[in-house]
Amino acid sequence: MRKIFGAGIICLLTTVTSHAQTCKEADVVLKSGTIYTVNDNQPMAEAVAILGSKIIYVGDDIGVERYACGDANVIDLAGKAVYPGLIDAHGHLTRVGQRELNLNLQGIDSLAEMLAAVKKYADDNPSAEWITGRGWIEKIWPENRFPTRQDLDAIIPDRPAILTRADAHAAVMNTVAMNMANITGETVAPSGGAINLDENGEPTGMLIDKAMGLVNVLVPAETREQTKNALRIATERNVSLGWTGFHNAGDPYDVVNMLRELRAEGKLAHRVYHAVRPMLYPDDAEILYQNGGEIDPEHYVTAREFKITVDGALGSRGAGFIEPYSDYDTFGLVRYDEDDLRPLLIRGLETGIQFQVHAIGDAANKMVLNAYEQALNEVPKSKRAVANPRWRIEHAQNVQPEDVDRFIDMDILPSMQPSHAIGDLHFAGDRLGIERLANAYLWRTFIDKGAIIPGGTDQPVEIGDPRIEFYAAIARKDLDGFSAEGWHPELAVTREEALKMFTIWAAYASFEEDVLGSIEVGKLADFSIFDKDLMQIPEDQIMSSTNVMTIVHGEIVYQK
């Protein structure tokens, strides 16, 4: 009996020892999922294991069992779809937070509805010195026109008001604000801007691009604490939608400091790749020129990029075109020329600064490509701090065929936002005529020629929802399933390509494809988890899917 008992003890000890030897340390285990890795060598998996901030296992449920032990947080996904952490490659983080905290006019379906919302806000905030808001867009309004200062005067006659269009390239002011800014029918708009006039030569209240500065300079500035809070709110919203990274398209350098402070406080929910605007903040730009950019070893807050805006937006007729608009006597606005850009670009090549330049119209795209070509030719690879600078053109919405080839020849990244197409195409035919739409939103053309397209949202210009971007990219229809003449459905992308736009291609655009953008052992542990499989469900069900968990740097930052 003693021998049998002793043998049992030995057997038990052997089992415990064997288990201890085979149990591999992990902090989080995800199993029983449908995992899209965006890794061509292992495109699908069932399970992953995370230790610290890194992925340590990608494979099947059987293999992950040796990690699903000890103190590991084991999460049974029950078939849910897992993607590499989604990256928004173009947005405006501070403005996203401001939209959430202030008067948000996004999603309003008529001018009358907008005016009612503004009046309510004004009535609810009687002590507000100014009434400001943003997000309106007239493209589906039954009134089919821009708002006027007289519209605002009827509801806010006694305080200054300025309301920014969703694209941030136009705004409408009331008469009080107009008078404070000393704007009349005789006022000359600043270069790169326009003051719209009525048939009597009087201002309508609409200010385009740089002309907005005539009024915005009078609006009381936001405090630093308010800006920092807006950044926090923005990242919290983004991770709830499934975003794990964000390319911030132009803010002062101090925003980098605020982001680092939030990170140290545990309040920065996702990664940020930050761009400074050298034309607006030359002293800030000098900081990055001097140090060649600031790369975070954790890839949480990196600043190595400059943002320049050379034209306006299509909807407000500020985008710069070779031929005039079809519905208005203008070519749009081009703020700078090659001579303005070239010195900055050359110094960027010498110091390692990346550039992203906003260009929507075909004239603006051509000018930027000219400037890029001149600078690249002047500084050979042997004299560059970064041989392939991965320069970008943001939006690249209307590009002549010969200029598409120049993108490819110079390795320029067309950084594009699918939702722009399904919104703009409702009015783009009016602005440009059907013929020119053949050169618009050329996702398929660029990819077929070998381009990498980082995908973004341009939020808060657009909603900022990854489901909308994915749907727009693959369907090229609006959210109601509508398409029309000139929408060119053949220029849509595949689901695999759409996923790459917001994962590995976005990571490439920030020089981070070795650590982000796919699910591979050794990469940083960023995941976006949805209750439905975006790669398989019908198009019309994509908007019914929900992000249920977001993991950044190995930590669960959102869970539904």
Side-chain angles (χ1 to χ4, degrees), residues 219-238:
V219 179
E222 190 175 63
T223 67
R224 189 179 191 277
E225 201 54 40
Q226 287 172 324
T227 300
K228 185 175 171 181
N229 187 48
L231 292 166
R232 177 186 63 80
I233 293 291
T235 65
E236 290 175 357
R237 176 189 184 271
N238 284 342

Side-chain angles (χ1 to χ4, degrees), residues 92-106 133-135 222 230 233-234 237-238 241 458-465:
H92 304 276
L93 197 61
T94 306
R95 294 180 197 166
V96 173
Q98 291 165 342
R99 175 185 65 184
E100 299 304 305
L101 293 169
N102 298 306
L103 174 57
N104 182 0
L105 300 173
Q106 203 156 37
R134 68 164 295 145
E222 190 175 63
I233 293 291
R237 176 189 184 271
N238 284 342
L241 296 171
D458 205 11
Q459 59 173 310
V461 175
E462 302 289 351
I463 298 294
D465 188 329

Side-chain angles (χ1 to χ4, degrees), residues 125-337:
N125 293 273
S127 62
E129 183 182 346
W130 279 72
I131 300 301
T132 62
R134 68 164 295 145
W136 64 267
I137 193 163
E138 78 295 337
K139 63 188 177 187
I140 62 169
W141 288 358
E143 295 90 350
N144 195 31
R145 65 174 176 86
F146 289 143
T148 66
R149 62 184 171 94
Q150 289 86 359
D151 292 326
L152 297 190
D153 291 346
I155 57 171
I156 312 171
D158 55 350
R159 284 181 282 174
I162 184 166
L163 307 173
T164 306
R165 194 174 185 268
D167 58 14
H169 287 276
V172 61
M173 61 183 169
N174 68 355
T175 299
V176 175
M178 182 183 79
N179 290 337
M180 288 176 64
N182 295 316
I183 296 172
T184 71
E186 304 299 319
T187 302
V188 177
S191 177
I195 300 169
N196 286 4
L197 304 178
D198 62 22
E199 62 275 9
N200 298 316
E202 294 298 319
T204 66
M206 282 294 297
L207 303 172
I208 311 299
D209 285 297
K210 282 195 171 182
M212 294 187 293
L214 299 173
V215 172
N216 284 337
V217 71
L218 304 175
V219 179
E222 190 175 63
T223 67
R224 189 179 191 277
E225 201 54 40
Q226 287 172 324
T227 300
K228 185 175 171 181
N229 187 48
L231 292 166
R232 177 186 63 80
I233 293 291
T235 65
E236 290 175 357
R237 176 189 184 271
N238 284 342
V239 295
S240 74
L241 296 171
W243 298 115
T244 64
F246 193 96
H247 295 189
N248 192 29
D251 259 328
Y253 179 82
D254 193 40
V255 167
V256 177
N257 295 325
M258 295 180 209
L259 293 168
R260 289 173 179 156
E261 291 166 14
L262 288 169
R263 172 68 174 150
E265 295 162 7
K267 297 177 181 177
L268 185 64
H270 61 57
R271 306 180 192 280
V272 181
Y273 186 73
H274 184 79
V276 165
R277 293 180 181 266
M279 299 304 197
L280 296 180
Y281 314 113
D283 291 343
D284 291 358
E286 189 61 30
I287 295 171
L288 296 188
Y289 270 141
Q290 290 293 333
N291 60 25
E294 299 176 0
I295 301 170
D296 183 350
E298 289 190 319
H299 299 275
Y300 226 95
V301 180
T302 286
R304 63 177 297 177
E305 188 175 34
F306 288 169
K307 164 71 181 294
I308 300 174
T309 301
V310 302
D311 72 343
L314 181 66
S316 50
R317 302 184 185 90
F321 281 90
I322 296 168
E323 299 295 332
Y325 280 74
S326 297
D327 62 350
Y328 200 76
D329 185 20
T330 182
F331 290 85
L333 304 166
V334 178
R335 302 181 182 186
Y336 308 111
D337 61 21

